[in-house]
């Protein structure tokens, strides 16, 4: 698949997907095409600030059944920047509370002429269920602890911008690996592009079973720190845990928070990332989160470019020849 000659309005013939459900099933070429397309949109829109009309006449519905700040806003803005209309659906106050099934609700929204639904749900697999039951494109915006493909893509795009190549880098995902959809999407994407991935955290949140995916498992951040090119600091997902996985938040911060002292042991070129929301003082201290190595806000900006890219590619493949 060549990624050099993308013109706006012409989705490459080799791109055939109409849904984005995960990064596990994407090839390295498909991931690279999305990243290249995101860069193209970033340039074409002066850093995602200008509006294009490549999706004019299309409608994108946000179906969020879990809280979200960045992802929901970012998908809505990305769709609008490309000229699409957007609809925002909230589960509270909807007919779901009157007993309507999830599939019926989604089918009714689709029947209003929606071309794509962006879904976030606490149950893993929900986007797959929708994709089987709807004709329109389905984009996974986070299914429980399973995957969050656009988060993985925007993280990888941010690393690529700073380091040019993903292959050969050592990237550590630190924190609540067990419950993190960001971790899963990053692992699939980074491994496909040739990075060495380390998952690091307390043993109650990082199982040895991760080694089966070809990642390194580590329990001591101070030991791995000097070899890391990138640290992605994941939030402890208290809302997904039945029991607290460590004695106290203070102890967790003592062992795993990225702080000024630890920065002194890291490479001079280290990149500090976090998917947000960040809990200052738990996984990262303010001096590091706001310091010169942090690319946390770049990640948020890149989210817009990545979501423009995937919306355009998926809708382009679904309506090939109509644009
Ligand atoms: N915003 C990310 C997610 O929705 C990470 C997090 O919530 O900690 O998965």
């Amino acid at each position: 698949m060549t990624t050099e000659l993308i013109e706006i309005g012409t989705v490459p013939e080799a791109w055939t997907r109409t849904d984005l459900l995960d990064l596990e099933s994407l090839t390295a070429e498909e991931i690279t095409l999305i990243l290249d397309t995101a860069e193209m949109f970033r340039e074409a829109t002066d850093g995602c600030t200008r509006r294009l009309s490549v999706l004019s006449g299309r409608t994108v519905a946000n179906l969020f059944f879990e809280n979200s700040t960045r992802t929901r806003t970012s998908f809505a803005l990305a769709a609008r920047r490309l000229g699409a209309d957007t609809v925002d659906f909230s589960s509270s106050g909807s007919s779901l509370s009157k007993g309507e099934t999830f599939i019926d609700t989604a089918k009714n929204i689709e029947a209003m002429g929606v071309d794509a639904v962006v879904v976030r749900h606490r149950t893993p697999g929900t986007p797959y269920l929708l994709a089987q039951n709807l004709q329109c494109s389905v984009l996974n915006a986070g299914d429980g602890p399973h995957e969050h493909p656009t988060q993985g893509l925007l993280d990888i795009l941010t690393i690529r911008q700073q380091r040019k190549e993903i292959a050969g880098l050592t990237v550590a995902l630190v924190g609540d690996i067990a419950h993190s959809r960001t971790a899963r999407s990053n692992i699939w994407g980074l491994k496909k592009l040739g990075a060495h991935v380390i998952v690091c955290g307390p043993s109650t949140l990082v199982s040895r079973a991760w080694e089966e995916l070809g990642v390194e498992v580590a329990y001591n951040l101070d030991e791995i720190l000097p070899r890391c090119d990138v640290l992605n600091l994941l939030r402890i997902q208290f809302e997904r845990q039945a029991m607290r996985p460590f004695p106290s938040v203070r102890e967790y911060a003592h062992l795993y928070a990225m702080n000024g002292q630890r920065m002194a042991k890291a490479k001079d070129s280290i990149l500090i990332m976090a998917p947000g929301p960040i809990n200052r003082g738990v996984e990262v201290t303010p001096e590091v989160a706001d310091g010169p190595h942090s690319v946390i806000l770049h990640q948020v900006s890149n989210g817009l470019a990545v979501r423009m890219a995937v919306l355009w590619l998926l809708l382009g493949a679904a309506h090939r020849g109509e644009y």
Side-chain angles (χ1 to χ4, degrees), residues 271-307:
L271 293 183
I272 300 295
M273 305 177 67
I278 56 172
N279 283 322
R280 289 172 182 267
V282 181
E283 63 268 8
V284 62
T285 58
E287 62 180 320
V288 177
D290 305 326
H293 293 269
S294 168
V295 288
I296 295 173
L297 291 177
H298 292 280
Q299 290 171 259
V300 179
S301 309
N302 282 329
L304 208 47
V306 155
R307 291 172 180 123

Side-chain angles (χ1 to χ4, degrees), residues 120 148 151 181-182 235 237 275-277:
R120 169 170 287 191
H148 190 353
Q151 179 72 52
R181 51 197 177 205
T182 297
R235 186 177 63 89
Q237 310 264 314

